[in-house]
Amino acid sequence: MPKISHRYLRILCISLVMLVATAHADNQEESLFNLSLEELINVKVISVTRQSKRIKDIPASVVLITREEIELCGYASLAEILENVPGLYLIDDYSEEASLGVRGFWDDTTNKNVVIMVNGVRQLQNMEANYTFRKILVPVEAIDLIEVVRGPMYVMYGTGAFFGVINITTNEHLTTGKANHLSTSVGSRGYVRLLGRSADSENGFRYSATASLTRSSGIGRPYSHYGSEHAGGTNDQLAKDERFFEFNGTFGNLSLGIHHRESRSEVMFLMPGEDDGTQVQDITTDFSVGYRHTFDSGSELSSTFTYSHDEPWWNFDLLSSDFYGVQSVPSSVINLETLWFSSPGEYMHLTFGLHYRSILQTSNRYDLPGFGSENLENIVFLLDPEDNITSSALFSQIDLKLRPGVRLVAGLRAEKMYAYNFEHSRAWLDDDSYNVVRDRYSFPGTDLGLAPQLAVLFNPASDHVLKLMFGQGRNYPSFMENTKVSGSTEPGDLETEKITTLEANYILSPSPDFTASVSIFRNELDNLIQRSAGFDDNGVYFSNFRNQGEMITRGGEITVLTRPVADARLDLSATYQQVDDLTDNADREAAYVPDWLGYGKLSYRFDDRRTVGLQGRYVGSMLPAWDPTPTDVENPDSPPIGRLGKKTPGYLTLGANVRWLEFIAESVALNVHVANIFDVDIRYPTTYASVWAPTGTLAAGRTFVGTITYEF
């Protein structure tokens, strides 16, 4: 594909921002606490169909987390919100931010198989094609609504949507008047957050702006608690420092979004740090401009252009106090998506979409002389300056009412990733000269991939609905994966991952105070790209990817929402999941899979000023990573290394939150949140990145967070 200059695109984005912002300096979310549970299934969401649709009318399993629920439960982070969503769980091996497991599947590459968006804009880390919390950084005080959609979403969202979509909305609170607040939070382990938020509307121009600063010192435990023989502990090695700013505005049919995030966090990769821990700095800026127009015929056109620049950088702290090692993976990308919605008749709704994505520049540069290995010194993987990494897709969906109470939803996506070239270079200095070796590789692109989606929805009465769903999806190899391959595979030769999903979802709401949902699912995953990392027998570090994974996940989920008394709401959920790991023609118990997940939330409103929330969460035991590498590298038939650690036990945690409006003064609110009240040990299974912790990494223990909010 011809090269597009990202320099001129930056100028274009800034110009569009200024145009919309200088034009002139909708609806506030209705309180869902006051809705009956029967009315909840009629709440409208956007993520699944890209149009506002009722939950019971969309072909997916959907969970909504509202601003009010976040306040009732007192969640302190996006990760805490999501780990309390039925069917989701977290694993944090300290090498990145925590990563989500969904319906029995967890990947070493952080959040690779769930699309995460903020106001409809993908929060993609371009090098690894994944979604890290380190990049998203949305403070909970800025969140108005989260839509968690589980199931086959590939047709509408493309690569990365194997197991669903999460859309975080921060701009739905725009009102016709002013809405401003300041908040301060302090808590355990040096946690501090300062946040300001403002919204206004005047003469058709609506805007909201949020800025925050968050810091924490992280978990401090002796290494012996992780089963490690290293001296010392994790004190001062897992700290975080985050800065967040966003601006959202609308004027007529135009919308604008500016998001800037800076994070400095400390992580551990393969081994503990010796001083302050390995430090990761990530600076990301997104500009988005959207246009939406409704025609007299009722058809609707929506188009969004996004430009994003990302600069992650690592300063490694390993082996010794004088270790030196750095890595940077900058990238710039544009996205353009256009949607057309039409209703030719009363019983038919059509959606057509075009998606274009192009990574304008990216590279993976690292210099790790501290390992004493030439293959890790002055290394550069560089996208050819004349190329982009480009993909494009056409997709469509039809929603057809076959008869009263019966609807058919069918979709198809055609997507292609184009060829590109990249270079691998290594430089070194010897006694006589400065030497550079360059190798050039090509990714051949993919064939045009077709993936269907089909759903039949039965809604014979207003109080129950049955959804039968089928879908297929594809994940294309990332630039990182294509440049770090193993075995006989040449760089650039990785193949596309595939998934086939079947799901049945039944929702029953026989009374305004009771709703139940039951889901049964099965996923077949093939050609999975899996990572191996570590040190060989000569102490040389290696990290590579290859197509080798094959898995089948299956399970069931039941959720019950009820109001035991007028001012209380009780949510209970249980998930059973089972995974067959068929990688390398083996049939072994899969790593990272808890058989059972359980969730419970109880909210009670004493009056208009005081509420209390209780949360409980159970996660079953999990096995660590399986390493198929032969124990004798000279003998491929020797037994594999096997499990990298011990099985982690299941855990049950409880949390509580008290919220008091008009505290001290009418415009002041107090929130006190306690997580993991009984200080239970929460262990995450050992991964390739946490082989130093054979008994598993640990989550934070008992945590207190107090927040004062002032509205004006």
Side-chain angles (χ1 to χ4, degrees):
M1 296 294 290
K3 184 68 179 176
I4 302 174
S5 171
H6 63 277
R7 174 184 176 187
Y8 295 110
L9 284 166
R10 290 187 188 183
I11 296 173
L12 172 63
C13 290
I14 294 172
S15 300
L16 289 170
V17 167
M18 297 304 295
L19 174 65
V20 176
T22 56
H24 201 320
D26 229 18
N27 295 331
Q28 188 174 12
E29 177 191 324
E30 183 181 358
S31 171
L32 297 186
F33 192 94
N34 295 321
L35 294 180
S36 70
L37 300 181
E38 182 180 5
E39 291 172 322
L40 284 174
I41 64 174
N42 291 301
V43 171
K44 293 185 176 182
V45 297
I46 295 176
S47 293
V48 181
T49 63
R50 304 297 188 92
Q51 280 188 305
S52 182
K53 297 281 188 181
R54 296 179 302 177
I55 290 177
K56 70 177 184 179
D57 291 336
I58 58 179
S61 300
V62 182
V63 175
L64 297 183
I65 302 100
T66 66
R67 164 83 254 144
E68 188 171 23
E69 181 176 344
I70 293 170
E71 292 176 343
L72 286 170
C73 296
Y75 298 130
S77 67
L78 176 61
E80 186 181 5
I81 294 173
L82 295 178
E83 72 177 347
N84 282 282
V85 172
L88 304 186
Y89 60 98
L90 287 182
I91 294 178
D92 185 358
D93 62 5
Y94 298 175
S95 66
E96 276 276 5
E97 296 290 325
S99 183
L100 289 170
V102 186
R103 293 191 161 173
F105 186 80
W106 186 89
D107 196 284
D108 294 79
T109 302
T110 307
N111 299 330
K112 174 186 174 183
N113 296 292
V114 177
V115 170
I116 302 179
M117 305 182 295
V118 176
N119 300 324
V121 176
R122 296 168 189 257
Q123 304 300 297
L124 193 65
Q125 202 278 338
N126 300 306
M127 172 63 70
E128 296 186 81
N130 65 330
Y131 300 83
T132 67
F133 293 130
R134 184 188 69 237
K135 179 176 178 176
I136 301 170
L137 293 187
V138 178
V140 294
E141 295 87 348
I143 298 173
D144 298 309
L145 180 69
I146 301 178
E147 301 164 56
V148 180
V149 183
R150 296 153 308 165
M153 286 288 101
Y154 176 79
V155 166
M156 298 302 289
Y157 289 94
T159 185
F162 260 24
F163 287 96
V165 174
I166 298 172
N167 186 40
I168 303 162
T169 301
T170 65
N171 58 8
E172 284 299 317
H173 68 295
L174 301 177
T175 64
T176 56
K178 293 184 177 180
N180 308 303
H181 81 250
L182 300 172
S183 68
T184 300
S185 301
V186 295
S188 307
R189 287 169 283 281
Y191 177 84
V192 176
R193 173 177 284 154
L194 304 175
L195 180 138
R197 197 178 192 199
S198 178
D200 204 352
S201 176
E202 184 177 352
N203 296 333
F205 177 66
R206 300 181 295 166
Y207 78 87
S208 67
T210 303
S212 70
L213 168 66
T214 307
R215 290 178 178 172
S216 67
S217 58
I219 301 168
R221 295 285 189 96
Y223 287 135
S224 59
H225 288 192
Y226 301 86
S228 172
E229 296 180 357
H230 286 82
T234 61
N235 290 320
D236 301 321
Q237 295 202 6
L238 296 171
K240 295 181 181 180
D241 187 338
E242 303 170 347
R243 294 169 173 82
F244 173 88
F245 171 78
E246 73 165 7
F247 176 88
N248 297 294
T250 62
F251 183 74
N253 293 333
L254 292 175
S255 62
L256 164 71
I258 307 172
H259 300 81
H260 181 78
R261 287 91 69 192
E262 296 183 13
S263 69
R264 294 174 178 84
S265 54
E266 296 171 352
V267 301
M268 294 183 183
F269 185 69
L270 294 177
M271 61 186 69
E274 294 295 326
D275 289 328
D276 295 330
T278 294
Q279 298 185 33
V280 184
Q281 176 176 293
D282 197 345
I283 301 175
T284 303
T285 303
D286 300 330
F287 297 92
S288 63
V289 177
Y291 176 80
R292 199 173 189 105
H293 180 73
T294 302
F295 297 90
D296 293 339
S297 63
S299 297
E300 190 174 335
L301 174 69
S302 174
S303 187
T304 304
F305 171 82
T306 304
Y307 171 79
S308 176
H309 182 71
D310 188 20
E311 293 188 13
W313 180 83
W314 283 258
N315 183 5
F316 291 94
D317 173 30
L318 304 167
L319 295 177
S320 65
S321 59
D322 58 354
F323 182 91
Y324 175 79
V326 294
Q327 181 179 13
S328 66
V329 289
S331 64
S332 298
V333 64
I334 60 169
N335 281 280
L336 176 63
E337 187 167 75
T338 299
L339 298 167
W340 175 268
F341 307 102
S342 178
S343 299
E346 180 182 355
Y347 303 111
M348 181 185 296
H349 303 283
L350 300 174
T351 300
F352 298 96
L354 168 66
H355 182 83
Y356 175 86
R357 172 180 172 80
S358 186
I359 299 178
L360 309 177
Q361 60 91 14
T362 189
S363 61
N364 181 12
R365 305 169 185 264
Y366 54 90
D367 184 22
L368 299 162
F371 280 124
S373 173
E374 290 183 355
N375 70 337
L376 295 174
E377 296 182 23
N378 295 313
I379 304 297
V380 178
F381 289 96
L382 176 68
L383 175 66
D384 189 317
E386 299 301 318
D387 280 346
N388 300 327
I389 301 176
T390 300
S391 62
S392 60
L394 289 170
F395 55 95
S396 64
Q397 183 170 282
I398 180 172
D399 186 333
L400 185 63
K401 184 176 181 180
L402 300 178
R403 53 177 296 179
V406 181
R407 293 173 45 243
L408 173 71
V409 181
L412 181 69
R413 187 181 187 97
E415 190 165 22
K416 178 177 176 61
M417 194 174 199
Y418 298 92
Y420 61 86
N421 300 307
F422 60 92
E423 180 182 278
H424 170 219
S425 65
R426 183 172 72 86
W428 72 96
L429 183 67
D430 59 24
D431 295 336
D432 300 321
S433 61
Y434 182 73
N435 305 281
V436 179
V437 174
R438 290 187 174 92
D439 296 307
R440 188 174 175 84
Y441 300 97
S442 295
F443 173 67
T446 66
D447 296 331
L448 183 66
L450 298 177
Q453 182 176 333
L454 182 67
V456 180
L457 283 68
F458 300 93
N459 188 197
S462 62
D463 59 356
H464 63 106
V465 59
L466 174 64
K467 306 177 185 181
L468 303 177
M469 296 165 281
F470 163 82
Q472 292 183 337
R474 301 160 68 88
N475 266 355
Y476 296 117
S478 68
F479 183 75
M480 172 72 81
E481 291 167 338
N482 261 330
T483 58
K484 307 275 283 185
V485 297
S486 67
S488 60
T489 307
E490 288 293 320
D493 284 351
L494 289 175
E495 299 177 357
T496 303
E497 299 177 308
K498 298 178 182 179
I499 187 173
T500 299
T501 296
L502 291 170
E503 181 175 354
N505 175 232
Y506 179 68
I507 303 174
L508 173 67
S509 187
S511 75
D513 295 327
F514 181 88
T515 295
S517 173
V518 179
S519 293
I520 300 173
F521 57 86
R522 176 186 171 90
N523 302 289
E524 296 184 5
L525 300 102
D526 190 26
N527 229 23
L528 295 175
I529 299 171
Q530 296 183 335
R531 179 179 188 176
S532 296
F535 297 90
D536 63 19
D537 289 346
N538 298 317
V540 177
Y541 170 74
F542 67 88
S543 174
N544 50 54
F545 297 88
R546 66 187 177 106
N547 291 106
Q548 64 178 351
E550 182 181 352
M551 293 186 177
I552 298 175
T553 79
R554 63 180 71 87
E557 181 178 286
I558 181 169
T559 299
V560 174
L561 290 74
T562 184
R563 295 190 186 278
V565 295
D567 293 315
R569 173 173 160 173
L570 176 64
D571 300 15
L572 297 173
S573 178
T575 299
Y576 175 75
Q577 49 199 16
Q578 187 179 40
V579 178
D580 297 330
D581 185 354
L582 307 177
T583 301
D584 295 329
N585 296 315
D587 186 3
R588 66 176 67 92
E589 195 173 352
Y592 316 131
V593 183
D595 287 346
W596 285 98
L597 300 169
Y599 312 84
K601 287 181 286 188
L602 175 63
S603 302
Y604 183 75
R605 175 172 290 172
F606 293 97
D607 51 40
D608 291 339
R609 299 169 53 203
R610 296 170 298 168
T611 58
V612 63
L614 301 174
Q615 309 92 43
R617 177 168 48 91
Y618 172 78
V619 177
S621 60
M622 289 181 273
L623 287 171
W626 172 273
D627 189 346
T629 305
T631 50
D632 181 359
V633 294
E634 302 297 331
N635 178 15
D637 296 327
S638 62
I641 292 175
R643 297 292 175 190
L644 296 182
K646 297 181 178 180
K647 187 175 186 178
T648 56
Y651 57 87
L652 172 65
T653 66
L654 298 175
N657 185 73
V658 175
R659 182 168 177 80
W660 193 329
L661 302 179
E662 299 181 16
F663 179 76
I664 301 177
E666 182 178 352
S667 55
V668 177
L670 171 68
N671 202 89
V672 178
H673 177 58
V674 185
N676 196 359
I677 293 174
F678 297 106
D679 202 22
V680 174
D681 266 358
I682 299 174
R683 289 192 179 272
Y684 304 120
T686 303
T687 69
Y688 282 106
S690 62
V691 291
W692 61 271
T695 60
T697 48
L698 287 161
R702 184 185 299 112
T703 302
F704 297 88
V705 176
T707 302
I708 292 285
T709 302
Y710 172 61
E711 297 184 354
F712 58 98

